[in-house]
Amino acid sequence: MKKIILLLAIFTFITPSFAKETTIEQIEKENQIQTRIDSIATDLLNYNKIPKRIVFTYNKKEKKKALTTNKALTKRQVIIYDGMYQSVQTDDELAAMLAREIAITMKSYSGDWGGRIDAIQVALGSKKFETVADKRAVDYVVNANYNPLAVIIFINKNFPQKRSDTFSRHNLTSKRLARIYEYITYKYPQYLENNEYINNKYYQNFLLTSIDNRKLLEDKIKTKSTKEIKYE
């Protein structure tokens, strides 16, 4: 009985200290993540000379893999949920994610009624704007000295492939990826000629799943066509 009492006393004495250390470690980790997000986000804002205020907040409690379109459009606040944050490995990928959100947030500053009309358009899921935002994200990433191929990797890893986009407010992910790849091919070919991501397994997966669409692009380049490709 004495041994049991002694063990309980030791456990009671040690536990608060251990819990305190764990809490401190968690806070330090969360601060490091927020600092990393703020640093890369500020790179994107400054290098692209974006004159509007946008706030970036890491949400450690939410494990969901979602983006913050509603908050970005109403409060000009980009919330990075922990589940989505954990899906990015490199600074390039994090820049890709943040650049896409910046493109959406900027739409809330333009147009009539203080950007409310354009914000509604984005919220309703305009396919045309989605394509423009993806390309704009590529530009933001390049201007801030990050690799635009990370935009492909980020989207390929995080957005599922629906059966059809005929009645959807959004484009098929495969179409988004194909258009981004085409945009990089024409505007930033140096990143494909000196491809740092060629051995990246996520980029390799994109190459594997985009063979047909990339063949359409190759044919367009060979024939010097100016027609818009109907990607699948």
Side-chain angles (χ1 to χ4, degrees):
M1 177 63 74
K2 290 182 179 180
K3 289 183 179 180
I4 294 174
I5 294 173
L6 179 61
L7 289 172
L8 287 173
I10 293 172
F11 181 77
T12 302
F13 177 76
I14 292 176
T15 300
S17 176
F18 176 74
K20 185 177 180 180
E21 289 177 3
T22 302
T23 301
I24 292 174
E25 289 176 358
Q26 289 175 343
I27 292 173
E28 288 179 348
K29 182 179 179 181
E30 290 160 11
N31 288 339
Q32 288 173 357
I33 292 174
Q34 183 64 59
T35 298
R36 182 189 181 205
I37 290 171
D38 288 339
S39 177
I40 294 176
T42 304
D43 280 346
L44 292 165
L45 295 175
N46 289 349
Y47 278 103
N48 287 284
K49 295 181 172 56
I50 293 174
K52 303 297 184 181
R53 290 196 65 254
I54 303 174
V55 176
F56 302 84
T57 306
Y58 169 61
N59 187 324
K60 64 182 182 297
K61 296 180 180 179
E62 295 288 349
K63 302 302 179 183
K64 59 186 177 181
K65 291 183 67 174
L67 292 177
T68 60
T69 301
N70 291 335
K71 288 283 186 181
L73 290 173
T74 57
K75 296 185 178 181
R76 281 84 183 245
Q77 178 185 22
V78 175
I79 300 176
I80 299 89
Y81 296 110
D82 185 68
M84 184 60 79
Y85 177 81
Q86 296 302 330
S87 73
V88 301
Q89 277 74 50
T90 67
D91 286 353
D92 287 332
E93 290 179 49
L94 182 54
M97 179 180 74
L98 296 174
R100 187 61 173 66
E101 291 297 280
I102 289 172
I104 292 174
T105 308
M106 285 303 293
K107 195 68 172 174
S108 75
Y109 275 105
S110 63
D112 297 329
W113 288 10
R116 287 181 177 84
I117 300 299
D118 283 5
I120 292 172
Q121 178 189 12
V122 176
L124 291 176
S126 166
K127 292 180 181 179
K128 183 177 180 180
F129 175 74
E130 188 172 62
T131 299
V132 171
D134 284 342
K135 293 178 179 179
R136 190 166 294 164
V138 169
D139 291 334
Y140 286 165
V141 167
V142 172
N143 291 340
N145 300 313
Y146 294 101
N147 195 314
L149 296 178
V151 178
I152 289 176
I153 291 173
F154 170 70
I155 292 176
N156 191 56
K157 285 167 59 176
N158 291 287
F159 292 85
Q161 179 75 1
K162 296 181 180 179
R163 293 182 182 276
S164 170
D165 62 359
T166 303
F167 302 106
S168 174
R169 294 178 298 169
H170 302 282
N171 297 295
L172 284 177
T173 302
S174 56
K175 291 181 181 178
R176 291 180 62 190
L177 291 168
R179 288 168 184 152
I180 292 170
Y181 185 83
E182 180 180 356
Y183 188 65
I184 294 172
T185 298
Y186 281 108
K187 191 168 183 179
Y188 305 109
Q190 66 272 26
Y191 287 96
L192 293 171
E193 293 167 2
N194 303 290
N195 196 332
E196 297 177 3
Y197 280 92
I198 193 63
N199 294 317
N200 180 290
K201 63 183 179 180
Y202 302 109
Y203 184 75
Q204 285 289 326
N205 180 258
F206 158 72
L207 293 179
L208 179 65
T209 57
S210 64
I211 293 174
D212 291 340
N213 279 336
R214 287 187 294 111
K215 179 64 168 59
L216 293 174
L217 176 58
E218 289 174 8
D219 292 340
K220 177 179 179 178
I221 294 172
K222 286 179 182 179
T223 59
K224 298 181 180 180
S225 173
T226 57
K227 292 183 179 180
E228 183 177 345
I229 301 174
K230 294 183 178 180
Y231 290 115
E232 299 296 330

